[in-house]
Coordinates of all heavy atoms in Angstrom, one line a residue:
M1 N -3.0 -20.5 56.9 CA -3.9 -20.9 55.7 C -4.4 -19.7 54.9 O -4.3 -19.6 53.7 CB -5.0 -21.7 56.2 CG -5.8 -22.4 55.1 SD -4.8 -23.5 54.1 CE -6.0 -23.8 52.8
K2 N -4.9 -18.7 55.7 CA -5.3 -17.4 55.0 C -4.2 -16.8 54.2 O -4.4 -16.2 53.2 CB -5.8 -16.5 56.1 CG -7.4 -16.5 56.3 CD -7.8 -15.4 57.1 CE -9.3 -15.4 57.3 NZ -9.8 -14.4 58.3
R3 N -3.1 -16.8 54.8 CA -1.9 -16.2 54.2 C -1.6 -16.8 52.8 O -1.3 -16.2 51.9 CB -0.7 -16.4 55.1 CG -0.4 -15.2 55.9 CD 0.9 -15.3 56.6 NE 1.4 -14.0 57.0 CZ 2.6 -13.9 57.5 NH1 3.4 -14.9 57.6 NH2 3.0 -12.7 58.0
L4 N -1.7 -18.1 52.8 CA -1.5 -18.9 51.6 C -2.5 -18.5 50.5 O -2.1 -18.2 49.4 CB -1.5 -20.4 51.9 CG -1.2 -21.3 50.7 CD1 0.3 -21.2 50.4 CD2 -1.6 -22.7 51.0
V5 N -3.8 -18.4 50.9 CA -4.8 -18.0 49.9 C -4.5 -16.6 49.4 O -4.6 -16.4 48.2 CB -6.2 -18.1 50.6 CG1 -7.2 -17.5 49.7 CG2 -6.5 -19.5 51.0
L6 N -4.2 -15.7 50.3 CA -3.9 -14.3 49.9 C -2.7 -14.3 49.0 O -2.7 -13.6 47.9 CB -3.6 -13.5 51.2 CG -3.9 -12.0 51.1 CD1 -5.4 -11.8 51.0 CD2 -3.2 -11.3 52.3
G7 N -1.7 -15.1 49.3 CA -0.5 -15.1 48.4 C -0.9 -15.6 47.0 O -0.4 -15.0 46.1
I8 N -1.7 -16.6 47.0 CA -2.1 -17.2 45.7 C -2.8 -16.1 44.9 O -2.6 -15.9 43.7 CB -2.9 -18.5 45.8 CG1 -2.0 -19.6 46.4 CG2 -3.6 -18.9 44.6 CD1 -2.7 -20.8 46.8
L9 N -3.8 -15.4 45.6 CA -4.5 -14.4 44.9 C -3.6 -13.3 44.4 O -3.8 -12.9 43.2 CB -5.5 -13.8 46.0 CG -6.9 -14.3 46.0 CD1 -7.7 -13.7 47.1 CD2 -7.6 -14.1 44.6
V10 N -2.7 -12.9 45.2 CA -1.8 -11.8 44.7 C -1.0 -12.3 43.4 O -0.9 -11.6 42.5 CB -0.8 -11.4 45.8 CG1 0.4 -10.6 45.3 CG2 -1.5 -10.7 46.9
I11 N -0.5 -13.5 43.5 CA 0.2 -14.0 42.3 C -0.7 -14.1 41.1 O -0.3 -13.7 40.0 CB 0.8 -15.4 42.7 CG1 1.9 -15.3 43.7 CG2 1.3 -16.1 41.4 CD1 2.4 -16.6 44.3
A12 N -2.0 -14.5 41.4 CA -2.9 -14.6 40.2 C -3.1 -13.3 39.6 O -3.2 -13.1 38.4 CB -4.2 -15.2 40.7
V13 N -3.3 -12.3 40.5 CA -3.5 -10.9 39.9 C -2.3 -10.4 39.1 O -2.5 -9.9 38.0 CB -3.8 -9.9 41.1 CG1 -3.8 -8.5 40.6 CG2 -5.2 -10.2 41.7
I14 N -1.1 -10.7 39.7 CA 0.1 -10.3 39.0 C 0.2 -10.9 37.6 O 0.4 -10.3 36.6 CB 1.3 -10.6 39.8 CG1 1.4 -9.6 41.0 CG2 2.6 -10.5 39.0 CD1 2.4 -10.0 42.0
I15 N -0.1 -12.2 37.5 CA -0.1 -13.0 36.3 C -1.1 -12.4 35.3 O -0.9 -12.1 34.1 CB -0.3 -14.5 36.5 CG1 0.9 -15.1 37.2 CG2 -0.6 -15.2 35.2 CD1 0.7 -16.5 37.6
Y16 N -2.3 -12.1 35.8 CA -3.4 -11.6 35.0 C -3.0 -10.2 34.4 O -3.2 -10.0 33.2 CB -4.7 -11.4 35.9 CG -5.8 -10.8 35.2 CD1 -6.6 -11.5 34.3 CD2 -6.2 -9.5 35.4 CE1 -7.6 -11.0 33.6 CE2 -7.2 -8.9 34.7 CZ -8.0 -9.6 33.8 OH -9.0 -9.1 33.2
L17 N -2.5 -9.4 35.2 CA -2.0 -8.1 34.7 C -0.9 -8.2 33.7 O -0.9 -7.5 32.6 CB -1.5 -7.2 35.9 CG -2.6 -6.7 36.8 CD1 -2.0 -5.9 37.9 CD2 -3.7 -5.8 36.1
G18 N 0.0 -9.1 33.9 CA 1.1 -9.4 33.0 C 0.6 -9.8 31.6 O 1.0 -9.3 30.6
V19 N -0.4 -10.8 31.6 CA -0.9 -11.3 30.4 C -1.7 -10.2 29.6 O -1.5 -10.0 28.4 CB -1.9 -12.5 30.7 CG1 -2.7 -12.8 29.4 CG2 -1.1 -13.7 31.2
N20 N -2.4 -9.4 30.4 CA -3.1 -8.3 29.7 C -2.2 -7.3 29.0 O -2.4 -6.8 27.9 CB -4.0 -7.5 30.8 CG -5.4 -7.9 30.7 OD1 -5.7 -8.9 30.0 ND2 -6.3 -7.2 31.4
R21 N -1.1 -7.0 29.7 CA -0.1 -6.1 29.2 C 0.4 -6.7 27.9 O 0.6 -6.0 26.9 CB 1.0 -5.9 30.2 CG 1.4 -4.5 30.4 CD 2.6 -4.4 31.3 NE 2.5 -3.2 32.0 CZ 3.5 -2.8 32.8 NH1 4.6 -3.6 32.9 NH2 3.4 -1.7 33.5
Y22 N 0.7 -7.9 27.9 CA 1.3 -8.6 26.8 C 0.3 -8.5 25.6 O 0.7 -8.3 24.5 CB 1.7 -10.1 27.2 CG 2.2 -10.9 26.0 CD1 3.5 -10.6 25.6 CD2 1.5 -11.9 25.4 CE1 4.0 -11.4 24.6 CE2 2.0 -12.6 24.4 CZ 3.3 -12.4 24.0 OH 3.8 -13.1 22.9
R23 N -0.9 -8.8 25.9 CA -2.0 -8.7 24.9 C -2.1 -7.4 24.2 O -2.1 -7.2 23.0 CB -3.3 -9.1 25.5 CG -3.6 -10.6 25.4 CD -5.0 -10.9 25.7 NE -5.2 -12.2 26.1 CZ -6.1 -12.6 27.0 NH1 -6.9 -11.8 27.6 NH2 -6.3 -13.9 27.3
N24 N -2.1 -6.4 25.1 CA -2.2 -5.0 24.6 C -1.0 -4.7 23.7 O -1.2 -4.0 22.7 CB -2.2 -4.0 25.8 CG -3.6 -3.9 26.4 OD1 -4.6 -4.4 25.8 ND2 -3.7 -3.4 27.6
H25 N 0.1 -5.1 24.1 CA 1.3 -4.8 23.3 C 1.2 -5.5 22.0 O 1.5 -4.8 20.9 CB 2.5 -5.3 24.1 CG 3.8 -5.2 23.3 ND1 4.4 -4.0 23.1 CD2 4.5 -6.1 22.5 CE1 5.5 -4.2 22.3 NE2 5.6 -5.4 22.0
N26 N 0.7 -6.7 21.9 CA 0.6 -7.4 20.6 C -0.4 -6.7 19.7 O -0.3 -6.6 18.6 CB 0.1 -8.8 20.9 CG 1.3 -9.8 20.9 OD1 2.4 -9.3 20.9 ND2 1.0 -11.0 21.0
M27 N -1.5 -6.2 20.4 CA -2.6 -5.5 19.6 C -2.0 -4.2 18.9 O -2.2 -3.9 17.8 CB -3.8 -5.2 20.4 CG -4.8 -6.3 20.4 SD -5.9 -6.2 21.8 CE -6.8 -4.8 21.4
K28 N -1.2 -3.5 19.7 CA -0.6 -2.3 19.2 C 0.3 -2.6 18.0 O 0.4 -1.9 17.1 CB 0.2 -1.6 20.3 CG -0.7 -0.7 21.2 CD 0.1 0.0 22.2 CE -0.8 0.6 23.3 NZ -0.1 0.8 24.5
T29 N 1.1 -3.7 18.2 CA 2.0 -4.1 17.1 C 1.2 -4.4 15.9 O 1.6 -4.0 14.8 CB 2.8 -5.3 17.6 OG1 3.4 -5.0 18.9 CG2 4.0 -5.6 16.6
D30 N 0.1 -5.1 16.0 CA -0.7 -5.5 14.9 C -1.2 -4.2 14.1 O -1.1 -4.1 12.9 CB -1.9 -6.3 15.3 CG -1.5 -7.7 15.6 OD1 -0.4 -8.1 15.3 OD2 -2.4 -8.5 16.1
V31 N -1.7 -3.3 14.9 CA -2.2 -2.0 14.3 C -1.1 -1.3 13.5 O -1.2 -0.9 12.4 CB -2.8 -1.1 15.4 CG1 -3.0 0.3 14.8 CG2 -4.1 -1.7 15.9
H32 N 0.1 -1.3 14.2 CA 1.3 -0.7 13.5 C 1.6 -1.4 12.2 O 1.8 -0.8 11.2 CB 2.5 -0.8 14.4 CG 3.7 -0.3 13.8 ND1 3.9 1.1 13.6 CD2 4.8 -0.9 13.3 CE1 5.1 1.2 13.0 NE2 5.6 0.0 12.8
N33 N 1.6 -2.8 12.2 CA 1.9 -3.5 11.0 C 0.9 -3.3 9.9 O 1.2 -3.2 8.8 CB 1.9 -5.0 11.3 CG 3.2 -5.4 12.0 OD1 4.2 -4.7 12.0 ND2 3.2 -6.6 12.6
Q34 N -0.4 -3.1 10.3 CA -1.5 -2.9 9.3 C -1.2 -1.5 8.7 O -1.4 -1.4 7.5 CB -2.8 -2.8 10.0 CG -3.6 -4.1 9.8 CD -4.9 -4.1 10.6 OE1 -5.3 -3.1 11.1 NE2 -5.6 -5.2 10.6
K35 N -0.8 -0.5 9.5 CA -0.6 0.8 8.9 C 0.6 0.7 7.9 O 0.5 1.3 6.9 CB -0.2 1.8 10.0 CG -1.5 2.4 10.6 CD -1.2 3.5 11.6 CE -2.4 3.9 12.3 NZ -2.1 4.6 13.6
V36 N 1.6 0.0 8.2 CA 2.8 -0.1 7.4 C 2.3 -0.8 6.0 O 2.6 -0.3 5.0 CB 3.9 -1.0 8.0 CG1 4.9 -1.4 7.0 CG2 4.5 -0.2 9.2
L37 N 1.5 -1.8 6.2 CA 1.0 -2.5 5.0 C 0.1 -1.6 4.1 O 0.3 -1.5 2.9 CB 0.1 -3.7 5.4 CG 0.9 -5.0 5.6 CD1 0.0 -6.1 6.1 CD2 1.7 -5.4 4.4
Q38 N -0.7 -0.8 4.8 CA -1.6 0.1 4.0 C -0.7 1.1 3.3 O -1.0 1.5 2.2 CB -2.6 0.8 5.0 CG -3.8 -0.1 5.3 CD -4.6 0.5 6.4 OE1 -4.2 1.5 7.0 NE2 -5.7 -0.2 6.8
G39 N 0.3 1.6 4.0 CA 1.2 2.6 3.4 C 1.9 2.0 2.1 O 2.0 2.7 1.1
R40 N 2.3 0.7 2.2 CA 2.9 0.1 1.0 C 1.9 0.0 -0.1 O 2.3 0.2 -1.3 CB 3.4 -1.3 1.4 CG 4.8 -1.3 2.0 CD 5.3 -2.6 2.3 NE 6.3 -2.6 3.3 CZ 6.6 -3.5 4.1 NH1 6.0 -4.7 4.1 NH2 7.6 -3.4 5.0
E41 N 0.7 -0.4 0.2 CA -0.3 -0.5 -0.9 C -0.6 0.9 -1.5 O -0.6 1.0 -2.7 CB -1.7 -1.0 -0.3 CG -1.7 -2.5 -0.3 CD -2.9 -3.0 0.6 OE1 -3.9 -2.3 0.7 OE2 -2.7 -4.2 1.1
A42 N -0.6 1.9 -0.7 CA -0.8 3.2 -1.2 C 0.3 3.6 -2.2 O 0.1 4.2 -3.3 CB -0.9 4.3 -0.1
T43 N 1.5 3.2 -1.8 CA 2.7 3.6 -2.7 C 2.6 2.8 -4.0 O 2.8 3.4 -5.1 CB 4.0 3.2 -2.0 OG1 3.9 3.6 -0.7 CG2 5.2 3.8 -2.7
S44 N 2.2 1.5 -4.0 CA 2.1 0.8 -5.2 C 1.0 1.3 -6.1 O 1.0 1.1 -7.3 CB 2.0 -0.7 -4.9 OG 0.7 -1.0 -4.3
Q45 N 0.0 1.9 -5.5 CA -1.1 2.4 -6.3 C -0.8 3.7 -7.0 O -1.5 4.2 -7.8 CB -2.4 2.6 -5.5 CG -3.1 1.3 -5.2 CD -4.2 1.5 -4.1 OE1 -4.3 2.5 -3.5 NE2 -4.9 0.4 -3.8
K46 N 0.4 4.2 -6.8 CA 0.8 5.5 -7.4 C 1.3 5.3 -8.8 O 1.6 6.2 -9.5 CB 1.9 6.2 -6.5 CG 1.3 7.1 -5.5 CD 2.3 7.8 -4.7 CE 1.7 8.5 -3.5 NZ 2.7 8.9 -2.5
K47 N 1.4 4.1 -9.3 CA 1.8 3.8 -10.6 C 0.8 4.5 -11.6 O -0.4 4.4 -11.4 CB 1.6 2.3 -10.9 CG 2.7 1.4 -10.4 CD 2.5 0.0 -10.9 CE 3.3 -1.0 -10.1 NZ 2.8 -2.3 -10.3
P48 N 1.3 5.3 -12.5 CA 0.4 6.0 -13.4 C -0.5 5.1 -14.2 O -1.6 5.5 -14.5 CB 1.4 6.8 -14.3 CG 2.7 6.7 -13.6 CD 2.7 5.5 -12.8
C49 N 0.0 4.0 -14.6 CA -0.8 3.1 -15.4 C -0.2 1.7 -15.5 O 0.9 1.5 -15.1 CB -1.1 3.6 -16.8 SG 0.4 3.8 -17.7
N50 N -0.9 0.8 -16.1 CA -0.4 -0.6 -16.3 C 0.3 -0.6 -17.6 O -0.3 -0.3 -18.6 CB -1.6 -1.5 -16.3 CG -1.3 -3.0 -16.4 OD1 -0.2 -3.3 -16.8 ND2 -2.2 -3.8 -16.0
C51 N 1.6 -1.1 -17.6 CA 2.4 -1.1 -18.8 C 2.6 -2.5 -19.3 O 3.4 -2.7 -20.2 CB 3.7 -0.5 -18.5 SG 3.7 1.2 -18.0
S52 N 1.8 -3.5 -18.8 CA 2.1 -4.8 -19.2 C 1.6 -5.2 -20.6 O 2.1 -6.1 -21.2 CB 1.6 -5.8 -18.2 OG 0.3 -5.5 -17.8
Y53 N 0.6 -4.5 -21.1 CA 0.1 -4.8 -22.4 C -0.6 -3.5 -23.0 O -0.9 -2.6 -22.2 CB -0.8 -6.0 -22.5 CG -2.1 -5.8 -21.6 CD1 -3.3 -5.5 -22.3 CD2 -2.0 -6.0 -20.3 CE1 -4.4 -5.3 -21.5 CE2 -3.2 -5.8 -19.5 CZ -4.4 -5.5 -20.1 OH -5.5 -5.4 -19.4
N54 N -1.0 -3.5 -24.2 CA -1.6 -2.3 -24.8 C -3.1 -2.2 -24.3 O -4.0 -2.8 -24.8 CB -1.7 -2.5 -26.3 CG -2.2 -1.3 -27.1 OD1 -2.8 -0.4 -26.5 ND2 -2.0 -1.3 -28.4
K55 N -3.2 -1.5 -23.1 CA -4.4 -1.5 -22.4 C -5.2 -0.2 -22.6 O -6.4 -0.2 -22.5 CB -4.1 -1.7 -20.9 CG -5.3 -1.9 -20.1 CD -5.0 -2.0 -18.6 CE -6.2 -2.2 -17.8 NZ -6.0 -2.1 -16.3
Y56 N -4.5 0.9 -22.9 CA -5.1 2.2 -23.0 C -5.0 2.8 -24.4 O -4.1 2.5 -25.2 CB -4.5 3.2 -22.0 CG -4.5 2.7 -20.6 CD1 -3.3 2.2 -20.1 CD2 -5.6 2.7 -19.8 CE1 -3.3 1.7 -18.8 CE2 -5.6 2.2 -18.5 CZ -4.4 1.7 -18.0 OH -4.4 1.3 -16.7
N57 N -6.0 3.7 -24.7 CA -5.9 4.6 -25.8 C -6.0 6.0 -25.3 O -6.3 6.2 -24.1 CB -7.0 4.3 -26.8 CG -6.8 2.9 -27.5 OD1 -5.7 2.5 -27.8 ND2 -7.9 2.2 -27.6
C58 N -5.7 7.0 -26.1 CA -5.8 8.4 -25.7 C -7.1 8.7 -25.1 O -7.3 9.4 -24.1 CB -5.5 9.3 -26.8 SG -3.7 9.3 -27.3
A59 N -8.2 8.0 -25.6 CA -9.5 8.3 -25.1 C -9.7 7.9 -23.6 O -10.6 8.4 -23.0 CB -10.5 7.5 -26.0
D60 N -8.8 7.1 -23.1 CA -8.9 6.6 -21.8 C -8.3 7.7 -20.8 O -8.5 7.5 -19.6 CB -8.2 5.3 -21.5 CG -8.8 4.2 -22.3 OD1 -10.1 4.1 -22.3 OD2 -8.1 3.4 -23.0
F61 N -7.7 8.7 -21.3 CA -7.1 9.7 -20.4 C -7.9 11.0 -20.6 O -8.3 11.3 -21.7 CB -5.6 10.0 -20.8 CG -4.8 8.8 -20.6 CD1 -4.5 7.9 -21.7 CD2 -4.3 8.4 -19.4 CE1 -3.8 6.8 -21.6 CE2 -3.5 7.3 -19.2 CZ -3.2 6.5 -20.3
S62 N -8.1 11.8 -19.5 CA -8.8 13.0 -19.7 C -7.9 14.2 -20.0 O -8.4 15.2 -20.6 CB -9.6 13.3 -18.4 OG -8.9 13.1 -17.3
T63 N -6.6 14.1 -19.7 CA -5.7 15.2 -20.1 C -4.5 14.6 -20.8 O -4.1 13.5 -20.6 CB -5.3 16.0 -18.8 OG1 -4.6 15.1 -18.0 CG2 -6.5 16.6 -18.1
Q64 N -3.8 15.5 -21.5 CA -2.6 15.1 -22.2 C -1.5 14.8 -21.1 O -0.7 13.8 -21.3 CB -2.1 16.3 -23.1 CG -1.0 15.9 -24.0 CD 0.4 16.0 -23.4 OE1 0.6 16.8 -22.6 NE2 1.3 15.2 -23.9
A65 N -1.5 15.6 -20.0 CA -0.5 15.3 -19.0 C -0.6 13.9 -18.4 O 0.4 13.3 -18.1 CB -0.7 16.4 -17.9
E66 N -1.9 13.5 -18.2 CA -2.1 12.2 -17.7 C -1.6 11.1 -18.6 O -0.9 10.1 -18.2 CB -3.6 11.9 -17.5 CG -4.0 11.6 -16.1 CD -5.6 11.6 -16.0 OE1 -6.1 10.5 -16.4 OE2 -6.1 12.6 -15.6
A67 N -1.9 11.3 -19.9 CA -1.4 10.3 -20.9 C 0.1 10.3 -21.0 O 0.7 9.3 -21.1 CB -2.0 10.7 -22.3
Q68 N 0.7 11.5 -20.9 CA 2.1 11.7 -20.9 C 2.8 11.0 -19.7 O 3.8 10.3 -19.9 CB 2.5 13.2 -20.9 CG 4.0 13.5 -21.1 CD 4.3 13.3 -22.6 OE1 3.5 13.4 -23.5 NE2 5.6 13.0 -22.8
K69 N 2.2 11.1 -18.6 CA 2.7 10.4 -17.4 C 2.8 8.9 -17.6 O 3.8 8.3 -17.3 CB 1.8 10.8 -16.2 CG 2.5 10.9 -14.9 CD 1.5 11.1 -13.7 CE 1.4 12.6 -13.3 NZ 0.5 12.8 -12.2
C70 N 1.7 8.4 -18.1 CA 1.6 6.9 -18.4 C 2.7 6.6 -19.4 O 3.4 5.6 -19.3 CB 0.2 6.6 -18.8 SG 0.1 4.9 -19.4
Y71 N 2.7 7.3 -20.5 CA 3.6 7.1 -21.6 C 5.1 7.1 -21.1 O 5.8 6.1 -21.4 CB 3.4 8.2 -22.6 CG 4.5 8.3 -23.7 CD1 4.5 7.3 -24.7 CD2 5.4 9.3 -23.7 CE1 5.5 7.4 -25.7 CE2 6.4 9.4 -24.7 CZ 6.4 8.5 -25.7 OH 7.4 8.6 -26.6
E72 N 5.4 8.1 -20.3 CA 6.8 8.2 -19.8 C 7.1 7.1 -18.8 O 8.2 6.6 -18.7 CB 7.1 9.6 -19.2 CG 7.3 10.6 -20.3 CD 7.4 12.0 -19.7 OE1 7.4 12.2 -18.5 OE2 7.4 12.9 -20.5
Y73 N 6.1 6.7 -18.0 CA 6.3 5.7 -17.0 C 6.6 4.4 -17.7 O 7.5 3.6 -17.3 CB 5.0 5.6 -16.2 CG 5.0 4.4 -15.2 CD1 5.9 4.4 -14.1 CD2 4.1 3.4 -15.3 CE1 5.9 3.4 -13.2 CE2 4.1 2.3 -14.4 CZ 5.0 2.3 -13.4 OH 5.1 1.3 -12.5
C74 N 5.9 4.1 -18.8 CA 6.1 2.8 -19.5 C 7.5 2.8 -20.2 O 8.1 1.8 -20.2 CB 5.0 2.5 -20.5 SG 3.4 2.2 -19.7
L75 N 7.8 4.0 -20.7 CA 9.2 4.1 -21.3 C 10.2 3.8 -20.2 O 11.2 3.1 -20.5 CB 9.4 5.5 -21.8 CG 8.8 5.9 -23.1 CD1 9.3 7.3 -23.6 CD2 9.1 4.9 -24.2
S76 N 10.0 4.3 -19.0 CA 11.0 4.1 -17.9 C 11.1 2.7 -17.5 O 12.1 2.2 -16.9 CB 10.6 5.0 -16.7 OG 9.6 4.4 -16.0
L77 N 10.1 1.9 -17.8 CA 10.1 0.5 -17.5 C 10.6 -0.4 -18.7 O 10.4 -1.6 -18.7 CB 8.7 0.0 -17.1 CG 8.1 0.5 -15.8 CD1 6.7 -0.1 -15.6 CD2 9.0 0.2 -14.7
D78 N 11.1 0.3 -19.7 CA 11.6 -0.3 -20.9 C 10.5 -1.0 -21.7 O 10.7 -2.1 -22.3 CB 12.7 -1.3 -20.6 CG 14.0 -0.6 -20.3 OD1 14.2 0.5 -20.8 OD2 14.8 -1.1 -19.5
K79 N 9.3 -0.5 -21.5 CA 8.1 -1.1 -22.2 C 7.8 -0.4 -23.5 O 6.9 -0.6 -24.1 CB 6.9 -1.1 -21.3 CG 7.0 -1.9 -20.1 CD 6.8 -3.4 -20.4 CE 6.9 -4.2 -19.1 NZ 6.8 -5.6 -19.3
A80 N 8.7 0.7 -23.8 CA 8.4 1.5 -24.9 C 7.0 2.1 -24.9 O 6.4 2.2 -23.8 CB 8.7 0.8 -26.2
D81 N 6.5 2.4 -26.0 CA 5.1 3.0 -26.1 C 4.1 1.9 -26.2 O 3.5 1.7 -27.2 CB 5.0 4.0 -27.3 CG 3.7 4.7 -27.3 OD1 3.0 4.7 -26.3 OD2 3.4 5.3 -28.3
V82 N 4.0 1.1 -25.1 CA 3.2 -0.1 -25.2 C 1.7 0.2 -25.5 O 1.1 -0.7 -26.2 CB 3.3 -0.9 -23.9 CG1 2.7 -0.1 -22.7 CG2 2.6 -2.2 -23.9
H83 N 1.2 1.3 -25.2 CA -0.2 1.7 -25.5 C -0.4 2.4 -26.8 O -1.5 2.7 -27.2 CB -0.8 2.5 -24.3 CG -0.6 1.9 -23.0 ND1 -1.2 0.7 -22.7 CD2 0.1 2.4 -21.9 CE1 -0.8 0.4 -21.4 NE2 -0.1 1.4 -20.9
R84 N 0.7 2.6 -27.5 CA 0.7 3.4 -28.8 C 0.1 4.7 -28.6 O -0.8 5.1 -29.3 CB 0.0 2.6 -29.9 CG 0.3 1.1 -29.9 CD 1.4 0.7 -30.8 NE 1.3 1.2 -32.2 CZ 2.4 1.8 -32.8 NH1 3.5 1.8 -32.2 NH2 2.2 2.2 -34.1
L85 N 0.5 5.5 -27.5 CA -0.1 6.8 -27.2 C 0.6 7.9 -28.1 O 0.1 8.9 -28.2 CB 0.0 7.1 -25.7 CG -0.7 6.1 -24.8 CD1 -0.4 6.5 -23.4 CD2 -2.2 6.1 -25.1
D86 N 1.8 7.5 -28.6 CA 2.6 8.5 -29.4 C 2.8 8.0 -30.8 O 3.8 7.5 -31.1 CB 3.9 8.8 -28.7 CG 4.8 9.8 -29.4 OD1 4.2 10.6 -30.2 OD2 6.0 9.8 -29.3
G87 N 1.7 8.1 -31.5 CA 1.7 7.5 -32.9 C 2.8 8.0 -33.8 O 3.4 7.3 -34.6
D88 N 3.1 9.3 -33.7 CA 4.1 10.0 -34.6 C 5.5 10.0 -34.0 O 6.4 10.6 -34.5 CB 3.6 11.4 -35.0 CG 3.3 12.3 -33.8 OD1 3.5 11.8 -32.6 OD2 2.9 13.4 -34.0
N89 N 5.7 9.4 -32.8 CA 7.0 9.2 -32.2 C 7.8 10.5 -32.0 O 9.0 10.6 -32.1 CB 7.9 8.3 -33.1 CG 7.6 6.8 -32.8 OD1 7.4 6.4 -31.7 ND2 7.4 6.1 -33.9
D90 N 7.1 11.6 -31.6 CA 7.8 12.8 -31.3 C 8.0 13.0 -29.8 O 8.4 14.0 -29.3 CB 7.0 14.0 -31.9 CG 5.6 14.2 -31.3 OD1 5.2 13.4 -30.5 OD2 5.0 15.2 -31.6
G91 N 7.6 12.0 -29.0 CA 7.9 12.0 -27.5 C 6.7 12.7 -26.8 O 6.7 12.7 -25.6
I92 N 5.7 13.1 -27.5 CA 4.5 13.7 -26.8 C 3.3 12.8 -27.1 O 2.9 12.6 -28.2 CB 4.2 15.1 -27.4 CG1 5.4 16.0 -27.1 CG2 3.0 15.7 -26.7 CD1 5.4 17.3 -28.0
A93 N 2.8 12.3 -26.0 CA 1.7 11.4 -26.1 C 0.3 12.1 -26.2 O 0.1 13.1 -25.5 CB 1.6 10.5 -24.9
C94 N -0.5 11.7 -27.1 CA -1.9 12.2 -27.2 C -1.9 13.7 -27.2 O -2.6 14.3 -26.5 CB -2.7 11.7 -26.0 SG -2.8 9.9 -25.8
E95 N -1.2 14.3 -28.2 CA -1.1 15.8 -28.2 C -2.5 16.4 -28.5 O -2.6 17.6 -28.2 CB -0.1 16.3 -29.2 CG 0.0 15.5 -30.5 CD 1.1 14.4 -30.5 OE1 0.7 13.3 -30.0 OE2 2.2 14.6 -30.8
H96 N -3.5 15.7 -28.9 CA -4.8 16.3 -29.1 C -5.6 16.5 -27.8 O -6.6 17.1 -27.9 CB -5.6 15.6 -30.2 CG -5.9 14.2 -29.8 ND1 -5.0 13.1 -29.9 CD2 -7.0 13.6 -29.2 CE1 -5.6 12.0 -29.4 NE2 -6.8 12.3 -29.0
L97 N -5.2 15.8 -26.8 CA -5.9 15.9 -25.5 C -5.7 17.3 -24.9 O -4.6 17.9 -25.1 CB -5.5 14.8 -24.5 CG -6.0 13.4 -24.8 CD1 -5.5 12.5 -23.8 CD2 -7.5 13.4 -24.8
P98 N -6.6 17.8 -24.1 CA -6.5 19.1 -23.4 C -5.4 19.2 -22.4 O -5.0 18.1 -21.8 CB -7.8 19.4 -22.8 CG -8.4 18.0 -22.6 CD -7.9 17.2 -23.7
Ligands
LIG101 CA1 -3.7 1.6 -27.4
LIG102 CA1 3.1 12.4 -30.5

């Protein structure tokens, strides 16, 4: 009888350890997935600006380079000069900015 109880205990411990291992593994996978998601968000935030409509004027940029980046980015999306940052169409956006 004692042997049977001992055997059941051993089996219970083995099952308990197994479940814990499985849980830990799942938690690690979740953390990994979260990191991957955060990485993807960070990449999508690297867009220089929103090109979907005329949202910015030169005054919204602090430097010419910034305005130029947005201007060229929108051009690359076939949105042309959606923000009208290059009024004289010479390819340089907001030339009066520093
Ligand atoms: Ca504008
Ligand atoms: Ca210009």
Side-chain angles (χ1 to χ4, degrees):
M1 189 61 189
K2 261 190 180 174
R3 264 191 162 185
L4 184 70
V5 171
L6 207 70
I8 290 171
L9 264 177
V10 168
I11 288 168
V13 167
I14 288 171
I15 289 172
Y16 176 76
L17 289 177
V19 167
N20 259 11
R21 228 187 212 186
Y22 178 72
R23 272 194 198 146
N24 280 344
H25 175 75
N26 266 7
M27 271 161 66
K28 275 180 195 161
T29 309
D30 282 351
V31 168
H32 174 74
N33 282 346
Q34 260 178 6
K35 276 186 186 163
V36 169
L37 275 177
Q38 280 168 358
R40 273 186 202 151
E41 273 167 26
T43 314
S44 64
Q45 278 168 358
K46 274 182 187 164
K47 281 183 197 170
C49 61
N50 184 339
C51 299
S52 49
Y53 62 101
N54 186 346
K55 190 182 179 189
Y56 306 104
N57 293 318
C58 288
D60 294 315
F61 301 94
S62 44
T63 63
Q64 193 274 329
E66 236 173 84
Q68 188 74 25
K69 214 185 259 180
C70 171
Y71 166 76
E72 282 174 7
Y73 175 66
C74 294
L75 281 188
S76 76
L77 294 181
D78 286 329
K79 297 280 185 186
D81 185 12
V82 64
H83 305 300
R84 316 269 310 135
L85 299 177
D86 180 24
D88 55 4
N89 279 316
D90 63 355
I92 300 163
C94 304
E95 38 268 87
H96 63 279
L97 284 179

